[in-house]
Amino acid sequence: KPHIDCITSRRTIRIPGLIDVHVHLREPGASYKEDFATGTAAALAGGFTMVCVMPNTQPAVIDKATLIVVKEIAKKNARCDYALFMGGTEKNFNEIPDLSSLVAGLKLYLNDTFTTLKMNDITMWGKHFEHWPLNVPLCVHAESKTCAAAILVACLHNRPVHICHVSLREEIELIKAAKLKGLPITCEVTPHHLFFTQQDLTWLGQQMGQVRPMLATEDDQNALWENLQVIDCFASDHAPHTKEEKRSDKPPPGFPGLETMLPLFLTAVNDGRLTLDDVVNRLYYNPKKIFNLPDQPNTYVEIDMETEWKVVEDNLFTKCKWSPFGGRTMKGSVCRVVLRGEVAYVDGQVLVPPGFGFDLRELQLRQPFQAPKDSHNSSLEGGRSTPMFGKTKELT
Amino acid sequence: KPHIDCITSRRTIRIPGLIDVHVHLREPGASYKEDFATGTAAALAGGFTMVCVMPNTQPAVIDKATLIVVKEIAKKNARCDYALFMGGTEKNFNEIPDLSSLVAGLKLYLNDTFTTLKMNDITMWGKHFEHWPLNVPLCVHAESKTCAAAILVACLHNRPVHICHVSLREEIELIKAAKLKGLPITCEVTPHHLFFTQQDLTWLGQQMGQVRPMLATEDDQNALWENLQVIDCFASDHAPHTKEEKRSDKPPPGFPGLETMLPLFLTAVNDGRLTLDDVVNRLYYNPKKIFNLPDQPNTYVEIDMETEWKVVEDNLFTKCKWSPFGGRTMKGSVCRVVLRGEVAYVDGQVLVPPGFGFDLRELQLRQPFQAPKDSHNSSLEGGRSTPMFGKTKELT
Ligand SMILES: [Zn+2]
Ligand SMILES: [Zn+2]
Ligand SMILES: [Zn+2]
Ligand SMILES: [Zn+2]
Ligand SMILES: [Zn+2]
Ligand SMILES: [Zn+2]
Ligand SMILES: [Zn+2]
Ligand SMILES: [Zn+2]
């Protein structure tokens, strides 16, 4: 990181330790791309003290045995706190509900993606929507008509659903209408869908530019910005692949994003496109509520809103060492991250070792009656009992 | 037809003049396949005295000028009564609601079909769902996830929708759940999806066997039969193409069906798979209610439940002169059709000329306060005011 000295910086602001509810850390099975140690270092460098980790690893987290194995790996290697998702398959809908208190939530892949977890048959979706506990998040990769279909299935089963990486006008308008109708739908949008369009493929290249959902049109991008109030969360969908893989004949889809997401939004705050409250709501309060994540005592991030700096790919903590935002100038940076009283990151250095991170669900199981600790916005803090679905809370 | 003499037949039954809510008569633009005179002759031979005619002609019925032209053609040539659908496009959602009282309903093509009318963008669907009057049918070609998406859009706009040619387990189960939830969804199923599966492609051939939705699996077929109570209407989706076209490199999808639908169901009644009431509900009472069609005085069909006969393609009235059910033995046939007091069809002969048929919507506009006439089942007869959405009425 370009040696920003935050102590002498003109203006630092303290915000909560942020939450990225959608990251792929590639371990087990592809730790040459990323692993828990490097991915959570990238998280801390990006201002995140909690991440929710996707299950499409090799093996995929679809049963108790694999969950236990991956929990062990995560426990030894994560530097920030985390919760692990389970993946739904055509077969596991009966067994996995018993594991629901141990995981971030259930992830269903309802569209073509870079995974073996795709479920085509709506009847099979229904089994998961029926069996998965109502109070544990159910997240879907569901684009376009599949997004509409997923919302209908949630509606028919009277349950909440969280729509991952919304990218199209038709999706965000549908979600808006669904929320107006009172359906408990929440959603997230990635920085790359907010800051890129398919026009950017001309310089990114068709290979490096591969991502799912694909980069969309300017009209789709405008729809996301116009409907900021409909967007509950920002999430990176941090999905690292090596440069070699991305440049190959069959480039796998996905961008790394943990280290560039917050700076992109801080730059947008500086540009007057949104407020810092808009950002903190979508990277902390709403994710915390929707995913029922605990307080982290003595945890905060110091950001500098003034300094301009350039993304240097070699300086990234992600193992893949590239970013579609490489070379981009940002105004706003992460100075320091304090996690449970420890300085976990400061001025370009990650200071906490692998294993410092906690499994948030295990923590919650050991402290089931944990009271809200953050008095600054008590209406938003309610522990596990009152999830705020379908609303985007504005800080007052 | 194989010279069935109904007078000496063992047992004839009188049923109402039936309604096929989904036929393609190919005029204008492809009258070498079918036209109003031949298509409505096929209707009468099949026991139908009303047909609802799809708008994907050339030109397509998507504006007032074309509607007027096609109404003139229909008026001069139809032998049975009819109503014409309009098609939705990305542009006509503002103009066509004014024409709604003149047409059978609005048809939206939301999936790939043999038409130029496909609408991909869910946002555009919404414009039609919003503007089209609530009390005039809105029908969709929407398969699989698109079916789910269409139901959601209808739900979000608080309006009824009629799902054409349901063919998959996931579709019928979704519609069942939607009805249980109280959503005003209705649907139709074709005879070819009830009596064929993709196994039949081995003898039909991939070319002759092309149809949309494609013939499905045995599991899908079983789901339709298991959920007979969820099926509001049977409809032929009569979609004639010439044998030459069907045998070509790019065979257009579609089967003729008007003349074989009722015999297939009568055979199924004889086989104990459903009752005659099941058939008449789905080919008369429910279509009449859902599509708000008028009484036809002195109109009925005499059927013979006993005689076995074989479908001979050369004897068909449809101009395309073939049927996927050609050669099949049926038990049950149409003996005589009386339409407004005239014998329109008897023992293999159509006796009414082109122009005998009425445009049912024009008729209703001239007789807006028409009272129910059929006392035999008065709870089901209510004129235009009380459409029975989402229920399948059983005759008592
Ligand atoms: Zn269910
Ligand atoms: Zn079950
Ligand atoms: Zn995804
Ligand atoms: Zn992802
Ligand atoms: Zn709308
Ligand atoms: Zn409008
Ligand atoms: Zn169709
Ligand atoms: Zn059709």
Side-chain angles (χ1 to χ4, degrees):
Chain A
K1 282 289 151 50
H3 305 284
I4 303 160
D5 183 350
C6 286
I7 317 255
T8 65
S9 161
R10 278 159 291 181
R11 179 179 154 226
T12 65
I13 299 174
R14 189 178 284 197
I15 60 175
L18 300 178
I19 303 168
D20 190 340
V21 297
H22 190 148
V23 305
H24 299 264
L25 299 188
R26 304 308 188 196
E27 198 178 8
S31 49
Y32 64 93
K33 302 181 204 245
E34 192 79 284
D35 58 32
F36 274 94
T38 56
T40 53
L44 289 167
F48 297 92
T49 55
M50 297 192 206
V51 290
C52 296
V53 183
M54 287 294 161
N56 60 332
T57 45
Q58 289 158 309
V61 183
I62 56 173
D63 52 33
K64 187 171 184 178
T66 313
L67 178 64
I68 289 169
V69 168
V70 180
K71 282 208 172 208
E72 274 309 304
I73 298 171
K75 189 176 180 179
K76 289 204 184 90
N77 295 290
R79 301 175 197 260
C80 74
D81 294 352
Y82 59 88
L84 306 181
F85 280 100
M86 293 211 76
T89 71
E90 309 227 329
K91 289 175 184 164
N92 69 0
F93 54 86
N94 266 317
E95 290 82 41
I96 60 174
D98 283 347
L99 306 167
S100 64
S101 62
L102 302 174
V103 298
L106 173 63
K107 175 71 179 286
L108 302 181
Y109 290 89
L110 311 181
N111 275 113
D112 285 311
T113 56
F114 192 63
T115 169
T116 55
L117 295 177
K118 189 184 169 202
M119 275 192 297
N120 244 321
D121 183 351
I122 302 176
T123 298
M124 293 311 305
W125 310 358
K127 306 243 186 234
H128 284 288
F129 277 75
E130 197 174 298
H131 288 77
W132 191 251
L134 288 177
N135 63 338
V136 185
L138 193 168
C139 302
V140 294
H141 179 130
E143 305 178 31
S144 184
K145 285 147 197 81
T146 307
C147 170
I151 294 172
L152 178 70
V153 174
C155 167
L156 294 177
H157 287 87
N158 295 305
R159 72 159 295 142
V161 70
H162 179 78
I163 312 290
C164 296
H165 45 50
V166 170
S167 67
L168 302 176
R169 175 179 289 278
E170 62 181 9
E171 293 167 355
I172 197 70
E173 291 191 348
L174 212 51
I175 291 166
K176 182 190 204 167
K179 288 185 176 200
L180 282 171
K181 178 115 183 155
L183 300 182
I185 312 299
T186 56
C187 71
E188 72 193 32
V189 173
T190 71
H192 45 276
H193 292 110
L194 284 164
F195 293 101
F196 286 148
T197 67
Q198 53 192 212
Q199 295 305 312
D200 292 288
L201 289 171
T202 54
W203 63 267
L204 273 170
Q206 286 293 339
Q207 289 152 295
M208 296 306 275
Q210 281 302 311
V211 67
R212 294 291 175 281
M214 269 310 287
L215 298 180
T217 67
E218 203 182 317
D219 181 62
D220 291 312
Q221 187 191 45
N222 289 339
L224 299 179
W225 283 98
E226 288 163 17
N227 290 290
L228 204 60
Q229 298 315 311
V230 181
I231 301 171
D232 301 281
C233 307
F234 297 139
S236 68
D237 196 3
H238 180 79
H241 299 286
T242 65
K243 275 181 269 195
E244 292 66 38
E245 288 173 319
K246 292 296 282 187
R247 286 174 187 144
S248 72
D249 278 354
K250 290 188 175 178
F255 297 152
L258 273 165
E259 290 164 88
T260 46
M261 177 157 65
L262 180 58
L264 282 164
F265 286 121
L266 297 182
T267 306
V269 170
N270 274 312
D271 292 344
R273 303 188 70 182
L274 33 64
T275 68
L276 186 57
D277 279 352
D278 288 335
V279 177
V280 174
N281 282 336
R282 287 166 186 76
L283 288 177
Y284 178 70
Y285 290 106
N286 294 342
K288 184 171 192 288
K289 219 38 154 171
I290 293 166
F291 286 83
N292 177 33
L293 294 167
D295 291 332
Q296 292 171 307
N298 302 315
T299 297
Y300 56 88
V301 174
E302 281 176 9
I303 55 172
D304 170 345
M305 290 302 294
E306 307 292 318
T307 309
E308 296 195 33
W309 60 286
K310 198 173 267 195
V311 178
V312 177
E313 291 178 329
D314 281 344
N315 292 343
L316 295 172
F317 286 90
T318 177
K319 202 180 276 187
C320 73
K321 294 283 178 191
W322 74 277
S323 164
F325 299 103
R328 192 157 172 143
T329 299
M330 307 283 192
K331 187 172 181 184
S333 64
V334 177
C335 300
R336 179 200 298 266
V337 176
V338 175
L339 173 51
R340 283 179 271 108
E342 298 280 334
V343 179
Y345 171 88
V346 65
D347 291 346
Q349 292 204 290
V350 172
L351 301 181
V352 289
F356 184 77
F358 282 173
D359 184 322
L360 296 163
R361 294 307 189 214
E362 302 290 340
L363 198 71
Q364 286 171 314
L365 283 172
R366 277 180 281 135
Q367 304 175 331
F369 301 110
Q370 183 190 23
K373 293 212 173 117
D374 185 348
S375 60
H376 129 86
N377 197 313
S378 64
S379 75
L380 263 169
E381 309 285 320
R384 321 189 59 168
S385 54
T386 54
M388 183 202 58
F389 290 113
K391 281 194 212 167
T392 301
K393 177 67 172 64
E394 289 305 308
L395 287 179
T396 47
Chain B
K1 287 283 151 58
H3 306 285
I4 304 161
D5 184 349
C6 285
I7 317 259
T8 63
S9 159
R10 279 159 291 180
R11 179 177 152 226
T12 67
I13 300 174
R14 187 178 285 197
I15 61 175
L18 300 178
I19 303 169
D20 190 340
V21 297
H22 190 149
V23 305
H24 299 265
L25 298 188
R26 303 306 188 199
E27 197 178 8
S31 49
Y32 64 92
K33 302 181 203 245
E34 192 77 284
D35 59 32
F36 275 94
T38 57
T40 53
L44 289 168
F48 297 91
T49 56
M50 299 192 205
V51 290
C52 298
V53 183
M54 287 294 161
N56 60 333
T57 46
Q58 291 159 307
V61 183
I62 57 172
D63 54 32
K64 187 170 183 177
T66 313
L67 179 64
I68 289 168
V69 168
V70 180
K71 282 209 171 206
E72 274 309 304
I73 297 170
K75 188 176 180 178
K76 288 204 185 91
N77 294 291
R79 300 174 198 260
C80 73
D81 295 351
Y82 59 90
L84 305 182
F85 279 100
M86 291 210 77
T89 72
E90 308 226 330
K91 290 176 184 162
N92 68 0
F93 53 85
N94 266 317
E95 290 81 42
I96 59 173
D98 284 346
L99 305 167
S100 64
S101 62
L102 302 173
V103 298
L106 173 63
K107 175 70 180 284
L108 301 181
Y109 290 89
L110 310 182
N111 274 113
D112 285 310
T113 56
F114 193 63
T115 169
T116 55
L117 296 177
K118 189 186 168 199
M119 276 192 296
N120 244 320
D121 184 350
I122 302 177
T123 298
M124 294 311 305
W125 309 359
K127 306 244 186 234
H128 283 288
F129 278 75
E130 196 174 299
H131 289 77
W132 190 252
L134 288 177
N135 63 339
V136 185
L138 193 168
C139 302
V140 294
H141 180 130
E143 304 178 31
S144 185
K145 287 146 195 81
T146 307
C147 170
I151 293 171
L152 179 71
V153 174
C155 167
L156 294 177
H157 287 88
N158 295 306
R159 71 159 297 142
V161 69
H162 179 78
I163 313 289
C164 296
H165 44 51
V166 170
S167 67
L168 302 177
R169 175 179 289 278
E170 61 182 9
E171 293 168 354
I172 198 72
E173 290 190 350
L174 214 50
I175 291 166
K176 182 190 203 167
K179 288 185 178 203
L180 282 171
K181 178 116 182 153
L183 299 182
I185 312 299
T186 56
C187 72
E188 72 193 32
V189 173
T190 72
H192 45 276
H193 291 111
L194 284 164
F195 293 101
F196 286 148
T197 69
Q198 52 192 212
Q199 294 305 313
D200 291 288
L201 289 170
T202 53
W203 62 268
L204 273 169
Q206 286 293 339
Q207 290 152 296
M208 297 306 275
Q210 282 302 311
V211 67
R212 294 292 174 284
M214 270 307 289
L215 298 180
T217 67
E218 202 182 319
D219 181 61
D220 291 312
Q221 186 191 46
N222 288 340
L224 299 178
W225 283 97
E226 287 162 17
N227 290 290
L228 205 61
Q229 298 314 312
V230 181
I231 301 170
D232 301 281
C233 307
F234 296 140
S236 68
D237 196 5
H238 180 80
H241 299 286
T242 66
K243 275 182 270 194
E244 291 67 35
E245 288 172 318
K246 292 296 281 186
R247 286 175 189 146
S248 73
D249 278 353
K250 291 190 175 177
F255 297 152
L258 274 166
E259 291 165 87
T260 46
M261 177 157 64
L262 180 59
L264 281 164
F265 286 120
L266 297 183
T267 306
V269 170
N270 274 312
D271 291 344
R273 304 188 69 183
L274 32 64
T275 67
L276 187 56
D277 280 353
D278 288 334
V279 177
V280 174
N281 283 335
R282 287 164 186 76
L283 288 176
Y284 178 71
Y285 290 106
N286 294 341
K288 184 170 192 288
K289 218 42 153 170
I290 293 165
F291 287 82
N292 177 32
L293 295 165
D295 290 332
Q296 292 171 306
N298 300 316
T299 297
Y300 56 87
V301 173
E302 281 176 10
I303 55 172
D304 171 347
M305 291 301 293
E306 307 291 319
T307 308
E308 296 195 32
W309 61 283
K310 198 172 268 195
V311 177
V312 176
E313 292 177 328
D314 282 344
N315 291 344
L316 295 172
F317 286 92
T318 178
K319 205 182 271 187
C320 73
K321 294 283 180 193
W322 74 277
S323 164
F325 299 101
R328 191 158 172 141
T329 298
M330 307 283 192
K331 187 172 182 183
S333 63
V334 177
C335 298
R336 177 201 299 265
V337 176
V338 174
L339 173 51
R340 282 179 274 105
E342 297 280 334
V343 179
Y345 171 88
V346 64
D347 291 346
Q349 292 205 291
V350 172
L351 302 179
V352 289
F356 184 76
F358 283 173
D359 183 323
L360 295 163
R361 293 307 189 215
E362 303 290 340
L363 198 72
Q364 285 171 314
L365 284 172
R366 276 179 281 136
Q367 306 175 331
F369 301 111
Q370 183 190 25
K373 293 214 173 115
D374 185 349
S375 60
H376 127 86
N377 196 313
S378 62
S379 76
L380 262 168
E381 310 284 320
R384 321 188 58 168
S385 53
T386 53
M388 181 203 59
F389 290 113
K391 282 193 214 167
T392 301
K393 178 68 171 65
E394 289 303 309
L395 287 178
T396 48

